Every structure is written in structure tokens, then in C-alpha cells.
Amino acid sequence: MKKKKIPLRKCVACNENKPKKELIRVVKNNEDVVDVDLTGKMNGRGAYICASKECLERAMKNKSLARALEIEISDKIYDKLNNIIDSNKQL
Ligand SMILES: [Zn+2]
């Protein structure tokens, strides 16, 4: 039997490789608009971050998300990520 390969992506905050479903994708599209991509299907340059407050705080502090996407990340995006992480915890 062949083992199924789980696609791994690297979190920009902790640099750990994790299954995509444990991460949140943030995308910068062709028009330099940044958004949180919950479908995983948005076009553009993507960066991944763990669905954890620890990694979000780390990414805000050292701007690793901004560096990965080569663009300033607005508070709106960080708020959105924060809300998503909060709602994940209630599941
Ligand atoms: Zn992480």
C-alpha cells in the first residue's frame, strides 16, 4: 500500500512545516491586495501561518508575514486572522 502524502506548508512565524489544514493562508493578489484565504483557492502569492495566537503574535512582532508577501499587512488582516483563530478554538 502506498502512503498518502500530506501536503506540508511552512508557517512564516515559527518556520515549522505543517499540514495545510492546520495553517491559515494569506494571499496577496495581482493588485497588491492582501486577504485571508479560507478556501485555499485564491490566486496570488500565498503565505501560511499556524492557526494559533502564538504564531500570529510572533508574525506581527517580527513582520514575517509582511516579509513573506513583500507588502505591509494592515491591522484589518491581523484582526481577521485573530477572529478566525478565536472561532477555530470554539470548535
Ligand atoms: Zn507557526
Side-chain angles (χ1 to χ4, degrees):
M1 283 231 288
K2 269 186 189 170
K3 260 196 214 163
K4 248 193 192 172
K5 260 197 186 168
I6 301 166
L8 296 175
R9 293 292 181 273
K10 194 186 263 187
C11 166
V12 295
C14 64
N15 281 319
E16 270 181 56
N17 285 309
K18 300 205 172 182
K20 274 168 90 173
K21 60 178 179 183
E22 291 176 26
L23 301 160
I24 302 170
R25 185 171 185 243
V26 182
V27 173
K28 178 180 85 170
N29 72 12
N30 295 336
E31 279 134 35
D32 278 355
V33 177
V34 178
D35 204 356
V36 181
D37 176 21
L38 292 176
T39 63
K41 285 172 186 156
M42 276 166 70
N43 287 322
R45 186 190 181 118
Y48 291 85
I49 183 166
C50 298
S52 80
K53 294 252 169 158
E54 217 187 326
C55 278
L56 180 60
E57 269 166 31
R58 209 186 297 193
M60 286 171 80
K61 240 179 250 168
N62 62 21
K63 298 191 187 298
S64 48
L65 201 54
R67 266 208 310 273
L69 293 175
E70 295 174 349
I71 196 167
E72 198 73 30
I73 308 292
S74 69
D75 289 344
K76 229 171 81 183
I77 295 297
Y78 287 127
D79 276 353
K80 208 166 170 178
L81 286 167
N82 202 28
N83 287 339
I84 292 164
I85 292 164
D86 270 344
S87 58
N88 265 350
K89 272 188 184 154
Q90 288 159 15
L91 292 177

